[in-house]
Amino acid sequence: MRYTVLYMADHTQHKKMLEEMMVTLREELETIASYNEENGDWVAIPVAEDLGSADDNLAADATEEWGNRRALVSQLEMRFHSVKLALQKYEEGTFGRCEMCNEPIEEARLVINPAARTCKTHMERERELPL
Ligand SMILES: [Zn+2]
């Protein structure tokens, strides 16, 4: 056991950071969205009341606020999913490997972004990966 551990990269710190990120993201999302347990999606909570307002200015403000909120939710949601995925990979024992070439992801890259899915060589193509 001791010898096995010696030859494995230690990702405990990254896991800890991912778990903290998960808590923070969940807290942020919960203030503006509700979580759908069935499909794992976050749905923005309507800003609402003024949307149907007879006052054009109030209605416009509400529409803009609603747009901003939805943009923020989808941004946070993407991060939420990538952190969740990284934690899943940790459980499966594939954490820290590039999803494109299967080589270990550089430690320096993981320190900055423990949810990284590719090595530095393939980081430009990370967005092509399916969620
Ligand atoms: Zn790679």
Side-chain angles (χ1 to χ4, degrees), residues 53-119:
S53 175
D55 185 324
D56 283 349
N57 286 331
L58 283 180
D61 282 353
T63 307
E64 195 188 332
E65 203 187 325
W66 176 231
N68 290 343
R69 175 175 289 198
R70 278 169 45 207
L72 181 61
V73 167
S74 64
Q75 207 178 74
L76 289 171
E77 189 178 17
M78 264 171 60
R79 269 158 59 194
F80 179 85
H81 282 302
S82 65
V83 170
K84 198 169 145 187
L85 192 76
L87 284 167
Q88 257 167 35
K89 285 165 74 178
Y90 195 94
E91 295 304 318
E92 289 162 4
T94 56
F95 179 85
R97 296 232 162 232
C98 173
E99 288 183 37
M100 291 214 158
C101 65
N102 207 34
E103 290 296 317
I105 298 172
E106 295 80 0
E107 183 62 20
R109 176 151 159 74
L110 287 173
V111 167
I112 297 165
N113 177 17
R117 298 172 69 185
T118 61
C119 66

